[in-house]
Amino acid sequence: MNNKILTLLGFCSKAGKMSCGMDMTVEALKRGKASLVIAASDVSAKSLKEITFNADKSKVKVLVLECDMQTLSHAIGRKCGILSVNDKGFAEAMVDASQQNNGK
């Protein structure tokens, strides 16, 4: 797991630039606020399918992290398995970090 993404998620949470949970993430997608959707690796297949469908409609990338909900929740300071990043700068930094991690 890339700790840089978890660190960025912590900063993003403190900055108030994210929506946590399925309903809030779908709402952010519908309003055009979401720049990136992030899911923990252990969210249910049904939830992942639903959030991917909504993200595709809004043309927003979905990033499934190689961590469980407990790790994700610890990083952002509240219980959450699915969230949206509502800031383009944070979103781009997280996508870059995930691509660097996959390139190794």
Side-chain angles (χ1 to χ4, degrees), residues 2-98:
N2 190 339
N3 288 331
K4 184 174 182 180
I5 295 174
L6 293 177
T7 302
L8 287 166
L9 283 169
F11 290 143
C12 186
S13 178
K14 287 179 180 159
K17 299 291 185 180
M18 72 170 47
S19 300
C20 287
M22 176 67 80
D23 295 338
M24 297 296 286
T25 299
V26 170
E27 187 66 27
L29 286 165
K30 287 181 179 176
R31 291 179 183 227
K33 291 183 178 181
S35 298
L36 176 68
V37 172
I38 294 186
S41 62
D42 60 346
V43 297
S44 72
K46 181 181 180 229
S47 295
L48 190 57
K49 183 178 178 182
E50 182 180 338
I51 202 63
T52 302
F53 172 78
N54 283 293
D56 286 347
K57 279 195 335 187
S58 300
K59 295 180 176 53
V60 173
K61 182 178 173 114
V62 176
L63 186 62
V64 179
L65 298 182
E66 298 171 13
C67 70
D68 58 11
M69 282 190 259
Q70 184 177 0
T71 305
L72 180 60
S73 298
H74 180 70
I76 64 170
R78 58 185 144 176
K79 190 170 189 220
C80 185
I82 294 176
L83 59 89
S84 68
V85 176
N86 303 332
D87 180 89
K88 286 185 181 179
F90 278 122
E92 289 172 4
M94 288 177 206
V95 169
D96 289 346
S98 74

